[in-house]
Amino acid sequence: MGGEDGVGVVGDDQETWGARAVCRTADPDELFAEGRAQNRAKALCTGCPVRTECLAHALDHRIEHGVWGGMTERQRRALLRRRPTVASWRRLLETARAEYSRQSTGYRELSEGFSQAG
């Protein structure tokens, strides 16, 4: 399965996806901020090509601090409580991303077909 930017991701190798993360050059103090300052860190995640891999890594490894994949530690804890039976967040999030991509492609093909028919 490829990352959001189409580059392949194998397993949960943080070195593979971490090298493409938008935040890789950010000040760590920004990513491990508290309170309202976390919103700046979350903004870095917007549009990051490896946001899904990052979030899955944090959830699968139960990382307690910092913003990962656009979610604060509080948001991740709440998600883990709501979905306690998830064995692999990486697999779940990649499957959801693939399904979304498939549906989006189908919708585009359908609307292109209508526009060509008219």
Side-chain angles (χ1 to χ4, degrees):
M1 167 94 27
E4 291 176 15
D5 63 357
V7 178
V9 175
V10 177
D12 183 31
D13 184 2
Q14 185 180 2
E15 291 181 19
T16 301
W17 59 261
R20 298 187 333 255
V22 169
C23 65
R24 72 185 172 280
T25 58
D27 179 355
D29 289 338
E30 290 181 37
L31 302 174
F32 293 90
E34 294 185 15
R36 298 183 79 138
Q38 290 177 329
N39 289 332
R40 287 192 299 275
K42 288 169 55 174
L44 283 174
C45 300
T46 304
C48 181
V50 293
R51 183 177 181 171
T52 301
E53 291 80 0
C54 180
L55 178 57
H57 176 81
L59 292 168
D60 282 337
H61 292 87
R62 303 301 194 265
I63 297 175
E64 294 184 18
H65 302 288
V67 172
W68 292 77
M71 292 183 84
T72 65
E73 56 267 14
R74 179 180 286 176
Q75 292 169 322
R76 292 192 309 275
R77 278 192 306 269
L79 183 57
L80 290 167
R81 278 193 305 272
R82 283 193 308 271
R83 304 286 303 271
T85 61
V86 174
S88 171
W89 284 95
R90 180 182 59 85
R91 191 171 326 140
L92 177 73
L93 293 174
E94 287 180 349
T95 300
R97 180 175 56 202
E99 179 64 21
Y100 174 79
S101 178
R102 186 185 66 76
Q103 288 177 358
S104 295
T105 301
Y107 176 76
R108 280 194 304 272
E109 290 171 355
L110 181 62
S111 45
E112 288 171 3
F114 281 128
S115 64
Q116 291 172 1

